[in-house]
């Protein structure tokens, strides 16, 4: 980590990258004035303030079971990849997770050039699996980029901002694609390269364009396994919402419906995005900077929720998907915030996420609280979100 004090927030390129990464690192004037919360929220606020005040060196070690990193990650996960049709498009609007990509630039994925296990990564692309090593040069580069781009004063504050913007951009396509049709793009750390961009992530590339398959879906009809076109409406199962009941009719030669398919692939999503990517990254950042592990995992939760809240899909459906995703998510993700519905000034509904941990972005050069900050009262956060177009 660079020892130089953080300067002003990066230029237009860094600001655009930060905006694409989510509001975890975006403040507006309405966010600057906090209110005192009551009950549980007051306790969460006090915990966040305490974490912010504790010197890095005094923070406890991460649990031994916090997740493998780098080459130490558990093997034998039962996951394999079904290669996408041939092609080595190097743009950011290529075929991986096409439905998710239609929801905005946050979900865009590129594929690096090369075949047969040899990829032209370039000096500005960082292999995500190297970021899981707390002593790696790659993690240092990414942290330094966020530290300098945000104008943070401490390494652990930069780590808390970084994990939120990272989770809200790098793995967003997998979370949203699963919510849309149950498929899981391969966004395991070993298959991902990222480009730092000051405050935020400048781009995400895949080494191989594929959907994951594994034991969780091995018994499903071929027509609905990951790698097929979007699974069709399949069985007589009653959907979890009115919007899904129309897509739960039986299909020829199949007995699986979309809700059942999505339930079958959820453990695969948890493993790929959380167990083998975001949670080990949080552990690495904890060990590298002494940032609080609970706060780091709160950034993971915020980023995963933002992957749903920022999309153009039906907010009611997305709320159900978040409940489904978070209820059994590892790392206590479901307990670190909540999704809520608000209405914009034009009356259209919007889904937002309210954090229960603090990312310390108010200590950056921008000196504002993020829109979801737990240091701001719940009612005020909802009013501020509702006032936005």
């Amino acid at each position: 980590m660079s020892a130089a004090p953080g300067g002003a927030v990066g230029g237009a390129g860094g600001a655009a990258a930060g905006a694409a990464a989510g509001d975890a690192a975006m403040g507006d004037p309405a966010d600057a004035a906090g209110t005192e919360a009551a009950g549980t929220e007051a306790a969460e606020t006090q915990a966040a303030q305490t974490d912010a005040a504790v010197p890095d060196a005094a923070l406890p070690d991460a649990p031994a079971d916090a997740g493998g990193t780098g080459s130490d990650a558990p093997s034998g996960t039962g996951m394999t990849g079904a290669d996408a049709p041939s092609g080595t498009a190097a743009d950011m609007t290529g075929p991986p997770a096409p439905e998710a990509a239609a929801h905005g630039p946050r979900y865009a994925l590129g594929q690096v050039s090369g075949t047969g296990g040899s990829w032209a990564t370039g000096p500005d692309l960082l292999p995500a699996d190297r970021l899981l090593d707390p002593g790696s040069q790659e993690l240092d580069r990414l942290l330094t980029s966020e530290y300098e781009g945000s104008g943070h004063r401490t390494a652990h504050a930069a780590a808390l901002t970084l994990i939120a913007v990272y989770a809200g951009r790098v793995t967003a396509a997998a979370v949203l694609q699963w919510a849309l049709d149950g498929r899981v793009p391969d966004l395991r750390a070993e298959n991902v390269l990222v480009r730092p961009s000051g405050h935020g992530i400048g781009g995400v590339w895949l080494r191989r364009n594929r959907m994951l398959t594994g034991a969780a879906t091995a018994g499903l009809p071929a027509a609905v396994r990951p790698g097929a076109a979007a699974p069709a409406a399949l069985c007589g199962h009653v959907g979890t919402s009115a919007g899904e009941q129309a897509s739960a009719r039986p299909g020829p030669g199949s007995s699986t419906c979309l809700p059942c398919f999505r339930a079958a692939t959820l453990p695969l999503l948890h493993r790929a995005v959380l167990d083998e990517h975001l949670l080990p990254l949080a552990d690495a950042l904890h060990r590298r900077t002494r940032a609080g592990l609970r706060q780091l995992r709160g950034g993971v939760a915020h980023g995963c929720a933002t992957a749903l809240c920022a999309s153009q899909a039906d907010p009611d459906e997305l709320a159900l998907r978040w409940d489904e995703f978070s209820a059994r998510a590892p790392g206590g993700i479901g307990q670190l915030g909540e999704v809520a519905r608000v209405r914009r000034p034009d009356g259209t509904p919007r889904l937002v996420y309210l954090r229960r941990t603090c990312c310390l972005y108010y200590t950056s050069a921008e000196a504002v609280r993020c829109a979801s900050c737990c240091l701001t009262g719940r009612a005020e956060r909802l009013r501020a979100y509702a006032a936005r177009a």
Side-chain angles (χ1 to χ4, degrees), residues 260-273:
C260 288
F261 175 75
R262 192 164 44 227
T265 57
L266 179 57
L268 190 64
L269 177 69
H270 283 159
R271 194 179 307 148
V273 168

Side-chain angles (χ1 to χ4, degrees), residues 1 4 26 35 75 89-90 116 139 150 174 196 228 234 260 262 268 305 307-308 325 328 330 377 382:
M1 174 69 68
M26 289 175 57
T35 59
S75 59
L139 183 61
S150 296
L234 307 175
C260 288
R262 192 164 44 227
L268 190 64
L308 299 180
F325 174 87
R328 298 182 180 180
L382 292 175

Side-chain angles (χ1 to χ4, degrees), residues 74-94:
S75 59
T77 60
M79 296 193 297
T80 59
D83 290 345
S86 60
T88 56
D91 58 80
M92 292 300 293
T93 57

Side-chain angles (χ1 to χ4, degrees), residues 203-217:
V204 182
W205 281 263
L206 301 181
R207 282 175 163 155
R208 301 181 76 182
N209 171 14
R210 59 189 179 183
M211 296 287 179
L212 292 170
T213 59
T217 59

Side-chain angles (χ1 to χ4, degrees), residues 227-293:
L234 307 175
C235 78
H237 179 93
V238 177
T240 55
S241 70
E244 287 194 338
Q245 290 177 12
S247 67
R249 295 188 297 273
S254 175
S255 60
T256 306
C257 70
L258 177 55
C260 288
F261 175 75
R262 192 164 44 227
T265 57
L266 179 57
L268 190 64
L269 177 69
H270 283 159
R271 194 179 307 148
V273 168
L274 295 175
D275 289 326
E276 297 191 12
H277 198 156
L278 298 180
L279 293 178
L281 177 59
D283 183 57
L285 287 169
H286 166 66
R287 295 182 184 279
R288 174 68 180 80
T289 70
R290 314 309 298 160
L293 190 59

Side-chain angles (χ1 to χ4, degrees), residues 136-381:
S136 71
Q137 293 181 351
E138 291 83 359
L139 183 61
D140 189 74
R141 283 179 58 192
L142 190 61
L143 266 169
T144 299
S145 177
E146 183 64 44
Y147 178 83
E148 294 175 348
S150 296
H152 272 299
R153 297 190 294 271
T154 64
H156 81 275
L160 294 174
T161 298
L162 171 61
I163 192 70
V165 297
Y166 186 100
R169 171 64 177 96
V170 176
T171 57
V175 177
L176 180 59
Q177 192 70 51
W178 169 83
L180 295 174
D181 62 22
R183 293 182 297 163
V184 181
D186 187 357
L187 280 158
R188 293 176 294 173
E190 66 194 54
N191 195 44
V192 171
L193 302 111
V194 301
R195 172 176 288 158
S197 181
H199 168 43
I201 302 297
V204 182
W205 281 263
L206 301 181
R207 282 175 163 155
R208 301 181 76 182
N209 171 14
R210 59 189 179 183
M211 296 287 179
L212 292 170
T213 59
T217 59
L220 295 178
V224 298
R225 291 176 190 163
L234 307 175
C235 78
H237 179 93
V238 177
T240 55
S241 70
E244 287 194 338
Q245 290 177 12
S247 67
R249 295 188 297 273
S254 175
S255 60
T256 306
C257 70
L258 177 55
C260 288
F261 175 75
R262 192 164 44 227
T265 57
L266 179 57
L268 190 64
L269 177 69
H270 283 159
R271 194 179 307 148
V273 168
L274 295 175
D275 289 326
E276 297 191 12
H277 198 156
L278 298 180
L279 293 178
L281 177 59
D283 183 57
L285 287 169
H286 166 66
R287 295 182 184 279
R288 174 68 180 80
T289 70
R290 314 309 298 160
L293 190 59
R294 180 176 180 274
Q295 287 175 282
L296 288 163
R297 290 183 174 180
V300 169
H302 179 272
C304 291
T306 299
L308 299 180
C309 297
S311 82
Q312 301 168 14
D314 179 5
D316 291 334
E317 294 292 335
L318 293 174
L320 291 171
R321 299 294 77 77
W322 172 252
D323 289 344
E324 191 176 354
F325 174 87
S326 63
R328 298 182 180 180
I333 297 303
Q335 306 303 313
L336 300 177
E338 63 167 313
V339 298
R341 296 171 182 82
V342 298
R343 289 196 175 275
R344 299 180 179 91
D346 64 2
T348 58
R350 178 188 181 190
L351 198 67
V352 300
Y353 185 72
L354 306 179
R355 298 184 61 151
R356 292 178 182 145
T357 63
C358 183
C359 69
L360 298 185
Y361 195 68
Y362 69 89
T363 68
S364 71
E366 198 168 338
V368 293
R369 295 178 183 175
C370 65
S372 62
C373 184
C374 65
L375 302 180
T376 302
R378 184 179 187 276
E380 184 174 347
R381 282 180 280 172

